[in-house]
């Protein structure tokens, strides 16, 4: 079992930045793929970015060039650095950890981009 806790969300103005954190407890986090999804009101949950245990990253089109995913396995923590935020980035952001057929989710953190 893996427990995930996100932090770092909040209200930011357009063009601003936020860094989300996802801290894991339980089983060996370093062997899991971890990543971030987001869900805006009235929309389906969508993948934002993921990172493998070896550090290979993958980004959705909207996140490329603006977001950076990283992880610190020694701290059991993953990060999502978000720059140049715009109102379309407003959503609840969920981190996940996946290994084979097991997927674990955090409770979500709200990100609101508004002036």
């Amino acid at each position: 079992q893996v427990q995930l806790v996100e932090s770092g969300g909040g209200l930011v103005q357009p063009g601003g930045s936020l860094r989300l954190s996802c801290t894991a407890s339980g089983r060996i986090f370093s062997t899991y793929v971890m990543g971030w999804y987001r869900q805006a009101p009235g929309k389906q949950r969508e993948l934002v970015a993921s990172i493998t245990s070896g550090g290979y990253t993958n980004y959705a089109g909207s996140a490329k060039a603006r977001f950076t995913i990283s992880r610190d396995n020694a701290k059991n923590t993953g990060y999502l650095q978000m720059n140049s935020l715009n109102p379309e980035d407003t959503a609840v952001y969920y981190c996940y950890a996946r290994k084979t057929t097991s997927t674990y989710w955090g409770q979500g953190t709200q990100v609101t981009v508004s002036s």
Side-chain angles (χ1 to χ4, degrees):
Q1 190 80 5
V2 175
Q3 293 81 40
L4 303 173
V5 178
E6 300 106 331
S7 61
L11 174 63
V12 63
Q13 292 187 341
S17 299
L18 283 175
R19 188 176 81 155
L20 306 182
S21 299
C22 175
T23 300
S25 61
R27 292 188 175 180
I28 302 174
F29 173 73
S30 63
T31 62
Y32 284 67
V33 173
M34 69 86 55
W36 297 86
Y37 276 74
R38 68 185 182 186
Q39 187 166 21
K43 294 187 177 181
Q44 289 188 332
R45 191 176 293 192
E46 62 176 1
L47 177 68
V48 177
S50 63
I51 183 168
T52 67
S53 58
Y56 178 80
T57 59
N58 179 55
Y59 295 93
S62 61
K64 287 180 181 178
R66 298 189 299 128
F67 294 1
T68 302
I69 189 170
S70 61
R71 64 192 298 165
D72 184 339
N73 291 330
K75 295 182 178 180
N76 271 3
T77 301
Y79 305 97
L80 184 68
Q81 176 68 44
M82 305 186 293
N83 299 327
S84 301
L85 287 162
N86 59 64
E88 289 69 40
D89 296 314
T90 295
V92 178
Y93 285 69
Y94 299 90
C95 76
Y96 73 92
R98 177 176 297 145
K99 184 176 183 180
T100 58
T101 59
S102 298
T103 301
Y104 304 94
W105 294 92
Q107 82 286 354
T109 186
Q110 177 70 47
V111 172
T112 301
V113 185
S114 175
S115 57

